[in-house]
Amino acid sequence: MTGLVAKLSDAGTDPNDTLAAGRSLWSDARRRFVRNKAAVISLGLLLLIATACVVGPWLLPYAFDSADWDAMSQSPSLRNFHFWGTDDAGRDLLVRCLIGGRISLTVGLLATLTSVSLGILWGATAGFVGGKVDALMMRIVDMMYAIPYLLIAILLVTILGREFYLVVLVITVFSWMDMARIVRGQTLSLRSMEYVEAARAIGVPTSRIIFSHIVPNLLGVVVIYTTVTVPGVILTESVLSFLGLGIQEPMTSWGVLIQDGAKAMEVSPWILLFPAVLLSTTLYCFNFIGDGLRDALDPKER
């Protein structure tokens, strides 16, 4: 390495400029992200919560739907291994919080991935094609904004029943419009770039230009917005479950547990405290990670 620097200096080239030029956008972004202590701590805490939700129920002696009739509404203690206490039906609260975390995180990730994919496809197509197609597609987005999602959720639950996939479907239908608007705006600025004009000039199909040239250059914006969308989706699922429109018994989620805890908060406050703390911590972690990614991928920070 010393010899390389010496040769560069002898050749009249600044070695620092050469080494800096060899850095990629993603390597610079990774360095800036690592320097953000709040984002790194949040990432580690989020991974810890996710790992506990996946592995924890296998290590605990109780099932999420089994009742301990000798420990109904027991406060947190080491007795009978109910570390976080039990609910009014004698079910272990720790294992139910971990299972609820599985459901809430799964719904958040699935609904976010589907809504982000739909938003990217819709926004990139509208922004690149333009004209009447763009106007029509964005008017559809405007109309979707005017529809209250709770009304649709109630209708779907009434017609199709209360199933896990319905929660993901309802959230997806009403969470892709923001991504479509963001992607469209970015695409409008990218479609006039030289490499896009060159691809058009040699006859590259429109679909290939969108997926090979437009979408890859949107990854920074997409990654940032995805980390912001996940907590919103998890919160929406919790609200639906709290209102009785989401996950149903005997399965559980953080929203269901908070609903149960709100009913017994004066007698058994731990039933509300633990799932509320897990939900709040997870939402804060995603938000801090999103802020860290935004700062890391911001071109002005380079």
Side-chain angles (χ1 to χ4, degrees):
M1 184 66 181
T2 304
L4 174 60
V5 173
K7 290 180 180 179
L8 292 173
S9 300
D10 294 340
T13 303
D14 188 350
N16 294 326
D17 292 342
T18 303
L19 294 176
R23 294 178 181 176
S24 67
L25 171 64
W26 293 106
S27 63
D28 285 342
R30 183 175 64 253
R31 290 186 180 93
R32 288 194 293 269
F33 182 82
V34 170
R35 289 199 295 266
N36 190 322
K37 294 182 179 179
V40 173
I41 294 174
S42 297
L43 179 60
L45 186 57
L46 182 62
L47 291 176
L48 178 62
I49 293 174
T51 302
C53 291
V54 173
V55 180
W58 296 338
L59 304 178
L60 295 173
Y62 298 99
F64 75 95
D65 55 352
S66 63
D68 186 353
W69 303 110
D70 296 327
M72 298 175 64
S73 297
Q74 177 181 308
S75 60
S77 68
L78 298 179
R79 186 165 62 91
N80 297 331
F81 301 102
H82 294 303
F83 305 110
W84 285 10
T86 62
D87 59 13
D88 54 2
R91 296 173 297 188
D92 185 75
L93 186 59
L94 175 56
V95 71
R96 287 183 63 78
C97 284
L98 297 181
I99 292 294
R102 281 187 188 179
I103 299 299
S104 295
L105 291 174
T106 301
V107 170
L109 293 176
L110 286 178
T112 298
L113 289 176
T114 52
S115 63
V116 165
S117 301
L118 179 58
I120 292 173
L121 178 61
W122 194 275
T125 302
F128 185 78
V129 175
K132 294 182 179 179
V133 175
D134 179 26
L136 175 62
M137 295 178 72
M138 297 316 294
R139 295 299 76 74
I140 294 175
V141 171
D142 293 338
M143 288 187 292
M144 291 294 296
Y145 273 117
I147 302 175
Y149 78 90
L150 281 179
L151 175 61
I152 300 301
I154 294 173
L155 291 176
L156 289 176
V157 168
T158 303
I159 297 173
L160 301 177
R162 301 178 180 182
E163 299 292 341
F164 172 83
Y165 73 90
L166 285 178
V167 180
V168 177
L169 177 62
V170 170
I171 296 175
T172 300
V173 168
F174 292 97
S175 60
W176 62 273
M177 291 88 73
D178 289 338
M179 176 59 74
R181 283 181 174 273
I182 293 173
V183 170
R184 173 184 176 270
Q186 294 294 319
T187 303
L188 289 175
S189 62
L190 290 174
R191 69 177 183 177
S192 60
M193 302 297 289
E194 289 81 359
Y195 58 87
V196 176
E197 295 294 340
R200 278 176 166 175
I202 62 176
V204 178
T206 300
S207 59
R208 184 175 177 183
I209 294 176
I210 292 175
F211 289 104
S212 299
H213 298 288
I214 300 297
V215 173
N217 286 281
L218 299 171
L219 287 180
V221 176
V222 170
V223 169
I224 295 171
Y225 189 77
T226 299
T227 58
V228 177
T229 302
V230 174
V233 170
I234 294 176
L235 186 60
T236 301
E237 180 276 325
S238 299
V239 171
L240 291 175
S241 298
F242 184 84
L243 296 175
L245 302 173
I247 305 301
Q248 300 298 314
E249 295 284 0
M251 189 53 67
T252 188
S253 71
W254 285 335
V256 174
L257 292 172
I258 291 174
Q259 180 193 40
D260 294 340
K263 298 176 181 177
M265 61 181 301
E266 295 182 358
V267 179
S268 307
W270 61 88
I271 301 178
L272 174 63
L273 176 63
F274 288 114
V277 168
L278 281 176
L279 176 61
S280 301
T281 302
T282 301
L283 297 182
Y284 275 118
C285 286
F286 273 113
N287 286 323
F288 280 124
I289 293 171
D291 289 341
L293 289 174
R294 181 197 60 199
D295 295 340
L297 296 173
D298 188 356
K300 298 179 182 179
E301 298 291 334
R302 296 187 64 186

